[in-house]
C-alpha cells in the first residue's frame, strides 16, 4: 500500500502511476503513523468545504513534529493557512483586500518589465538554468514588492522559504529541521527593521500588505508573533509555488512539442493553458486537514482527531471529474482543478499566480520558441511541492 514515508522507486520523476493506484484502489489510504490519505476529487472537494468536520489547525500535529518551543512550531501554527477562525478570517481579510483587482492591475506593467529584463539576460547567454535565471527570479520580486522588502535585501528569501516549507515534508532529517528552525529565526530578525520602519513610515494601505497587517485593528489587531509569522507566510506562499508553476509549464511544453506549437500558433490559449499546467503538474501536491469527528468515506471510518493528507496531484487527474485526465488539453473548459485547494482556504494569491504564469510563459515562448531542456534537470525531491531544483536549457 502507498506510504508517504516509503515511496515507490521513481516516485519523484513520475508520481502519477502511484497516484492512480491510490485513487482507484485505496481511496482512503491509512498511513503507518495513523494519518490517512484521500485522493478522489469529490472527497477533496467535500473536505475543503466542510470546515466544521475538517479543520486546518495543526497544533496537535506540529507539537510532536517540531516541539512546541521551536521557531518552526511558532511559525506554522500562527500562519493563516494552518488556522481556523477567528485568526484565519481576520488575516485572510487583510490579505485578500491587498490583492484587489486594482492593485493587481498596477503590478502588471512591472511584472512585464521584470520578465523582459530576465529574458534579455537569458538571450545574452544561450545556455540557461530556467529555475534560477527565470522561474525562481519572478515570484521573489513580486512578493518582495507586495511587502515592500528593499530589492537589495531579497537575496536570502528563497533559501529561507525552501527551508521553512521543506519542514512540512512528511519525514524530516535532523539537518532539515535545524535548517528550518534557523530560517524562521533569521527571517524574523530580518523583518524587524522592515516592520519597525513601516510602522513609522506607513505605505499605501490599498496595496501594501505589510501596512495593512500593521494597521489592522479588528479584534484588537494582530499580536507581534502573528504579524511576523504571517509576513513570513505570505512571502513563502507565493514563492516556491509560483516558481514551480512556471518551471513545470516550461518542462511540459518541452516534453509535448505539439502543444508548444499549438500555443505558439494560438497565443490566446494562454489562460486556459496555465490552468491546465496547474492541473497536470500541481505545484502543491498535498494539503492537510484534521477531523473533528468520526467521518466515513467509501465505507471506511476515519476517527476524530486524524490527520488527513489531501492528494491534490491525484484528485486533479481523477477521471470522474476530468475527461482524458492525463492529456494536456490547452483549451480545457471547465477545469475546476484543486491546485489552489478550495473552500474558505482557497489560495489568496491565485489571480496573481495566474497572471505571473501567463506573462512568464507566453513571453518566454515568444522570445525562445525553440528552447530545449538539456541534460541535468533535477526535480525538487519533495512530496508536498512539485517542481524542479534545476532545469538547464538551451535557448
Ligand atoms: C501557482 C502558485 C500557487 C499555488 C499552486 C498555490 C496553492 C495554494 C494552496 C493549495 C493553498 C491552500 C492550502 C490549504 O489550505 O490546504 C494556498 C493557500 C494560500 N496561498 Fe497560495 N498558491 C500559489 C501562489 C500564491 C501566491 C502568489 C500567493 C500570494 C501572494 C499565495 C498566497 C496564499 C495564501 C495567503 C494562502 C492561505 C489561504 C488561507 O488559508 O485562507 N499563493 N495556496
Amino acid at each position: 500500500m502507498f506510504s508517504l514515508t516509503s515511496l515507490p522507486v521513481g516516485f519523484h520523476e513520475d508520481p502519477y502511476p502511484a497516484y492512480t493506484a491510490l485513487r482507484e484502489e485505496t481511496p482512503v489510504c491509512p498511513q503507518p503513523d495513523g494519518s490517512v490519505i484521500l485522493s478522489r476529487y469529490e472527497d477533496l472537494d467535500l473536505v475543503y468545504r466542510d470546515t466544521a468536520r475538517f479543520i486546518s489547525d495543526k497544533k496537535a500535529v506540529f507539537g510532536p513534529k517540531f516541539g512546541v518551543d521551536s521557531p518552526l512550531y511558532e511559525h506554522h501554527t500562527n500562519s493563516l493557512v494552518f488556522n481556523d477562525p477567528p485568526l484565519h478570517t481576520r488575516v485572510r481579510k487583510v490579505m485578500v483586500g491587498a490583492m484587489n483587482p486594482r492593485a493587481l492591475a498596477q503590478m502588471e506593467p512591472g511584472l512585464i518589465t521584470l520578465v523582459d529584463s530576465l529574458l534579455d539576460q537569458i538571450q545574452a547567454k544561450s545556455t540557461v538554468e530556467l529555475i534560477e535565471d527565470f522561474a525562481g527570479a519572478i515570484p521573489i520580486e513580486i512578493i518582495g514588492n507586495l511587502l515592500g522588502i528593499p530589492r537589495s535585501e531579497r537575496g536570502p528569501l528563497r533559501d529561507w522559504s525552501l527551508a521553512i516549507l521543506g519542514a512540512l515534508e512528511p519525514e524530516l532529517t535532523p539537518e532539515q529541521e535545524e535548517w528550518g528552525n534557523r530560517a524562521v529565526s533569521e527571517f524574523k530578525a530580518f523583518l524587524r527593521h522592515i516592520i519597525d520602519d513601516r510602522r513609522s513610515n506607513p505605505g499605501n494601505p490599498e496595496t501594501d500588505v505589510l501596512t495593512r497587517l500593521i494597521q489592522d485593528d479588528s479584534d484588537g489587531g494582530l499580536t507581534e508573533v502573528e504579524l511576523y509569522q504571517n509576513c513570513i507566510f505570505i512571502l513563502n506562499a507565493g514563492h516556491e509555488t509560483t516558481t514551480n508553476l512556471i518551471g513545470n509549464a516550461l518542462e511540459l511544453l518541452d516534453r509535448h512539442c505539439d502543444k508548444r506549437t499549438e500555443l505558439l500558433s494560438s497565443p490566446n490559449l494562454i489562460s486556459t493553458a496555465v490552468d491546465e499546467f496547474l492541473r497536470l503538474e500541481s505545484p502543491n501536491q498535498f494539503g492537510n486537514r484534521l477531523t473533528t469527528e468520526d467521518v466515513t468515506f467509501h465505507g471506511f471510518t476515519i476517527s476524530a482527531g486524524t490527520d488527513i493528507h489531501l492528494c491534490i496531484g491525484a484528485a486533479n487527474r481523477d477521471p470522474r471529474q476530468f475527461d482524458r485526465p492525463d492529456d494536456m488539453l490547452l483549451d480545457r473548459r471547465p477545469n475546476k482543478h484543486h491546485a489552489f485547494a478550495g473552500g474558505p482556504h482557497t489560495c489568496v494569491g491565485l489571480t496573481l499566480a495566474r497572471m505571473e504564469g501567463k506573462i512568464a510563459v507566453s513571453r518566454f515562448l515568444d522570445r525562445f520558441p525553440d528552447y530545449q531542456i538539456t541534460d541535468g534537470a533535477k526535480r525538487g525531491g519533495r512530496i508536498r511541492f512539485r517542481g524542479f531544483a534545476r532545469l538547464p536549457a538551451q535557448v
Side-chain angles (χ1 to χ4, degrees):
M1 200 178 295
F2 181 80
S3 163
L4 286 167
T5 50
S6 166
L7 297 169
V9 177
F11 177 83
H12 291 299
E13 279 63 48
D14 182 8
Y16 301 106
Y19 286 167
T20 301
L22 187 65
R23 191 184 56 230
E24 302 307 319
E25 292 159 26
T26 41
V28 184
C29 185
Q31 297 295 289
D33 66 355
S35 59
V36 168
I37 305 176
L38 295 179
S39 49
R40 289 200 180 163
Y41 183 94
E42 59 169 355
D43 296 341
L44 267 68
D45 207 48
L46 185 150
V47 170
Y48 283 136
R49 289 162 198 272
D50 185 347
T51 51
R53 290 192 299 163
F54 304 96
I55 58 170
S56 292
D57 186 308
K58 301 263 288 173
K59 291 183 194 70
V61 176
F62 290 155
K65 180 168 178 153
F66 302 131
V68 292
D69 293 327
S70 65
L72 278 169
Y73 180 83
E74 182 186 286
H75 171 67
H76 286 304
T77 56
N78 279 285
S79 305
L80 85 154
V81 71
F82 296 131
N83 269 279
D84 303 301
L87 180 71
H88 173 258
T89 321
R90 207 153 38 115
V91 179
R92 186 176 168 98
K93 202 167 125 212
V94 173
M95 289 188 184
V96 168
M99 305 228 204
N100 57 68
R102 195 139 53 106
L104 291 180
Q106 277 176 19
M107 276 182 221
E108 193 167 344
L111 175 59
I112 293 174
T113 308
L114 165 70
V115 167
D116 286 352
S117 76
L118 293 171
L119 294 173
D120 290 344
Q121 289 166 33
I122 290 175
Q123 193 144 26
K125 285 193 188 180
S126 95
T127 50
V128 286
E129 203 287 282
L130 291 175
I131 302 302
E132 195 180 325
D133 295 337
F134 191 61
I138 298 166
I140 203 73
E141 288 295 304
I142 297 301
I143 303 283
N145 290 346
L146 209 60
L147 277 147
I149 309 279
R151 184 156 284 127
S152 59
E153 297 179 27
R154 292 177 192 173
L157 296 182
R158 174 132 204 270
D159 268 3
W160 286 334
S161 161
L162 288 170
I164 295 168
L165 294 183
L168 295 174
E169 286 292 285
E171 269 193 315
L172 266 190
T173 62
E175 292 74 34
Q176 285 169 320
E177 189 173 346
E178 200 272 325
W179 186 34
N181 279 318
R182 196 159 22 93
V184 175
S185 303
E186 289 177 6
F187 214 145
K188 274 177 79 176
F190 166 87
L191 282 174
R192 194 155 302 132
H193 84 269
I194 291 170
I195 290 179
D196 287 349
D197 180 58
R198 203 65 52 83
R199 281 206 163 103
S200 20
N201 306 297
N204 175 3
E206 172 95 352
T207 52
D208 181 47
V209 177
L210 182 48
T211 300
R212 290 178 75 94
L213 288 169
I214 291 172
Q215 291 181 350
D216 171 54
D217 57 4
S218 53
D219 292 333
L222 300 180
T223 64
E224 281 297 284
V225 169
E226 289 165 355
L227 173 64
Y228 274 76
Q229 299 300 359
N230 281 291
C231 285
I232 296 179
F233 172 71
I234 199 165
L235 278 159
N236 292 343
H239 180 210
E240 187 173 355
T241 46
T242 314
T243 301
N244 290 352
L245 161 62
I246 299 167
N248 291 348
L250 293 177
E251 193 272 338
L252 276 169
L253 291 171
D254 180 72
R255 226 186 316 150
H256 302 273
C257 286
D258 53 329
K259 298 295 168 186
R260 185 197 304 198
T261 311
E262 186 182 343
L263 194 51
L264 279 164
S265 59
S266 310
N268 58 332
L269 288 179
I270 189 66
S271 295
T272 48
V274 163
D275 273 285
E276 187 66 342
F277 306 143
L278 283 161
R279 183 188 72 81
L280 269 179
E281 291 282 14
S282 305
N284 190 180
Q285 295 264 308
F286 278 92
N288 287 83
R289 294 295 186 268
L290 198 74
T291 52
T292 56
E293 56 182 71
D294 290 2
V295 275
T296 302
F297 287 92
H298 313 290
F300 186 103
T301 299
I302 303 174
S303 329
T306 303
D307 182 20
I308 300 192
H309 308 273
L310 301 168
C311 185
I312 295 172
N316 279 346
R317 292 180 182 224
D318 188 335
R320 296 161 195 80
Q321 175 68 19
F322 301 101
D323 286 339
R324 298 170 56 196
D326 294 317
D327 291 348
M328 180 167 30
L329 307 181
L330 296 180
D331 58 352
R332 187 183 288 276
R333 248 187 248 255
N335 190 355
K336 293 186 177 172
H337 59 73
H338 277 316
F340 293 119
H345 283 273
T346 299
C347 177
V348 168
L350 86 183
T351 311
L352 177 57
R354 284 183 170 125
M355 181 168 100
E356 290 179 66
K358 280 191 278 188
I359 291 174
V361 174
S362 58
R363 295 183 93 79
F364 186 92
L365 271 188
D366 263 358
R367 186 81 73 99
F368 305 116
D370 301 317
Y371 75 97
Q372 275 185 336
I373 294 182
T374 51
D375 286 349
K378 187 170 177 283
R379 285 260 166 213
R382 306 220 187 159
I383 300 176
R384 217 180 153 85
F385 294 96
R386 182 158 178 79
F388 288 87
R390 272 204 315 273
L391 207 51
Q394 263 186 344
V395 294

